[in-house]
Amino acid sequence: VKDWARKNGLADLSNDELIRHPKVNGMFKELVESFNKFFNQVEQVKKFALLAHEWGIDSGELTPKLSLKRKVVMEKYKEQIEKMYS
């Protein structure tokens, strides 16, 4: 995202500002829609949320083998997940 932001005149924005910027959200919406055409209606992504930081081992979302810790993610991002399903 940082490279894309730099190329689109948004290099001076913080991660929090980037994930809320309409151009960034539009870029991700177009990307999701471009892949959705390969899936059935029930398999398509309808809503998504952008987060200000990457998931990693140090932040607790991934194991040392880079597997997702689902329980941690569900607890840590409960509010964002509930917004997507409401």
Side-chain angles (χ1 to χ4, degrees):
V1 174
K2 289 287 191 180
D3 287 336
W4 181 90
R6 202 173 3 264
K7 292 175 186 174
N8 287 277
L10 304 173
D12 58 334
L13 299 180
S14 70
N15 286 354
D16 288 326
E17 293 170 323
L18 278 173
I19 65 169
R20 289 175 180 75
H21 197 282
K23 281 186 179 181
V24 175
N25 279 287
M27 183 266 294
F28 274 99
K29 185 175 181 179
E30 285 179 23
L31 185 62
V32 167
E33 288 174 357
S34 73
F35 283 99
N36 271 347
K37 64 184 175 188
F38 298 108
F39 298 98
N40 292 324
Q41 183 72 18
V42 295
E43 298 171 314
Q44 294 181 354
V45 174
K46 306 292 188 271
K47 295 181 182 179
F48 62 90
L50 301 177
L51 303 173
H53 70 279
E54 293 182 38
W55 292 352
I57 297 167
D58 296 334
S59 56
E61 296 94 355
L62 301 177
T63 69
K65 291 173 45 177
L66 300 180
S67 298
L68 182 67
K69 292 183 179 178
R70 293 180 193 279
K71 188 174 182 179
V72 172
V73 170
M74 294 296 285
E75 290 174 12
K76 201 170 186 178
Y77 302 104
K78 183 178 181 179
E79 184 178 316
Q80 290 93 335
I81 293 168
E82 286 177 355
K83 283 182 184 178
M84 286 190 293
Y85 288 96
S86 62

